Amino acid sequence: MSILVVGSVAFDSIETPHGQVERCLGGAATHFALAASFFTQVRVIAVVGEDFSAQHEAVLTARGIDTAGIEHAQGNSFHWRGAYQGNLNEAQTLQTDLNVFASFQPKIPAAYVDSEYLFLANIDPVLQSQVRGQMPKVRMVCGDTMNYWITGHADKLAQVLRGLDTLLINDGEAKLLADQPNLVTAAERILQMGPKTLIIKHGEYGATAFFSERSFAGKLRQRFFRVPALPLAEVVDPTGAGDSFAGGFFGYLSAQPELTLATFQRAMFYGSVMGSFAVERFGTERMQQITRAEIDQRFAFLRELSHLEAD
Ligand code: AMP
């Protein structure tokens, strides 16, 4: 089993109440791939510039991630500058430099075409569609997006949404996408746009899945499911939490023999666990150090945290 991911591999300049970093390794595909690599084989489609060194690539390959699909182009890599002021659940984008992504034409290496799972991480929806179109036989497609693409590229995004099994976005993005201030109503509208299932992430408050009639091949038992976030005493940098959630969620799910409500729920717990690690250090620092044993420990804790005995 393997997941193919397309998305940004980037350098991030980030300011949080804990300090600031300039041009650390980031990007939606990077955070996703690192988190998913604990559960399954991951292959990356992206483009980087001349500023992306062998040491940067080694962060991915050290976790067994296949980087053959990362194209090296002339110019600079994608760069994002963001800040968190007061509200750690919401990044303020100060600058987005697409750089080499502006003229990127994704090509899927022949060795990647048999990937059964596809993650369309946050990037231009035109690129997401191009990759989706080259993978007609995948078993499951999940995707993510953000304000930047929702407001500026709505038509292109609508096409991506029609091809998704599961969309993962945060509260603010869901309300913006649906043009609706109530989350439940927003979720209903988004489910009508294409995805069979929607996961809305609430930062430090966890994440909620909204199921439709088309979730689990129509064998629907419940409409909602919520997973808590792990309570942490210190959040250093929330960047990448959403992508790490997605990596834990989809990484675990893709390694299961069957997609059922139970495996989906467990996958959301793994998503929450991986998100909790991501925020403990700047950039990818924490994710590079964790072990499978630590993941299992947090999973057990999260399970206990939300368990209610039957009467
Ligand atoms: P999140 O998991 O939502 O915190 O995503 C953070 C990552 O998204 C950062 O590492 C950024 O490099 C990346 N990012 C920010 N803006 C964009 C954008 N417009 N398109 C693609 N990736 C982005």
Side-chain angles (χ1 to χ4, degrees):
M1 297 300 165
S2 55
I3 299 186
L4 178 68
V5 53
V6 58
S8 53
V9 170
F11 289 108
D12 291 345
S13 300
I14 308 162
E15 195 179 334
T16 81
H18 277 270
Q20 72 183 85
V21 290
E22 281 294 314
R23 305 185 63 80
C24 70
L25 180 63
T30 307
H31 290 295
F32 174 89
L34 286 171
S37 71
F38 288 90
F39 305 92
T40 192
Q41 172 64 46
V42 187
R43 299 158 164 178
V44 185
I45 299 280
V47 63
V48 292
E50 291 146 295
D51 47 1
F52 188 83
S53 68
Q55 283 98 310
H56 295 122
E57 193 146 347
V59 171
L60 299 171
T61 52
R63 289 270 345 124
I65 296 163
D66 185 338
T67 57
I70 300 184
E71 193 178 308
H72 292 253
Q74 278 185 347
N76 282 327
S77 302
F78 185 108
H79 172 246
W80 176 74
R81 182 177 293 280
Y84 300 82
Q85 282 155 356
N87 182 5
L88 280 175
N89 290 328
E90 206 169 306
Q92 259 185 291
T93 294
L94 304 176
Q95 200 180 326
T96 302
D97 305 313
L98 293 179
N99 295 332
V100 289
F101 262 103
S103 53
F104 180 49
Q105 295 289 320
K107 286 172 242 29
I108 318 272
Y112 282 12
V113 178
D114 63 353
S115 308
E116 293 192 292
Y117 296 88
L118 175 62
F119 189 69
L120 305 173
N122 185 17
I123 197 60
D124 188 334
V126 172
L127 299 180
Q128 292 179 317
S129 282
Q130 281 175 10
V131 172
R132 175 73 184 91
Q134 292 176 65
M135 303 289 294
K137 291 195 184 135
V138 284
R139 277 172 68 176
M140 185 172 179
V141 187
C142 297
D144 186 10
T145 191
M146 70 179 289
N147 301 10
Y148 187 85
W149 306 113
I150 296 171
T151 46
H153 300 70
D155 291 355
K156 304 292 181 202
L157 186 59
Q159 192 186 331
V160 175
L161 296 180
R162 283 196 287 274
L164 287 186
D165 290 294
T166 304
L167 173 69
L168 297 101
I169 47 177
N170 67 31
D171 317 52
E173 291 157 357
K175 290 173 185 174
L176 184 71
L177 178 60
D179 191 19
Q180 172 54 245
N182 177 279
L183 203 67
V184 176
T185 319
E188 279 164 9
R189 285 206 184 157
I190 294 169
L191 287 171
Q192 286 163 5
M193 296 178 187
K196 293 185 184 130
T197 307
L198 171 67
I199 295 179
I200 298 184
K201 298 163 286 176
H202 316 297
E204 67 180 309
Y205 306 113
T208 310
F210 297 83
F211 303 118
S212 74
E213 300 301 330
R214 291 166 301 128
S215 305
F216 312 113
K219 288 183 236 151
L220 190 66
R221 293 215 315 267
Q222 63 188 70
R223 284 182 59 211
F224 310 111
F225 179 71
R226 178 166 287 180
V227 59
L230 202 115
L232 292 170
E234 192 177 69
V235 174
V236 171
D237 170 21
T239 310
D243 304 309
S244 303
F245 181 103
F249 165 78
F250 205 20
Y252 173 80
L253 204 54
S254 69
Q256 304 315 303
E258 224 191 331
L259 171 66
T260 62
L261 175 63
T263 53
F264 195 99
Q265 289 169 326
R266 286 177 76 89
M268 285 181 69
F269 269 63
Y270 278 109
S272 189
V273 166
M274 300 314 280
S276 77
F277 286 116
V279 303
E280 290 183 319
R281 300 272 187 285
F282 277 102
T284 58
E285 209 184 313
R286 184 71 174 105
M287 207 53 86
Q288 288 180 56
Q289 300 162 343
I290 56 171
T291 62
R292 184 61 209 231
E294 284 179 282
I295 294 172
D296 294 341
Q297 222 171 15
R298 284 202 178 180
F299 182 87
F301 175 78
L302 208 54
R303 183 174 226 170
E304 199 178 279
L305 175 78
S306 53
H307 184 71
L308 178 67
E309 292 289 341
D311 288 333

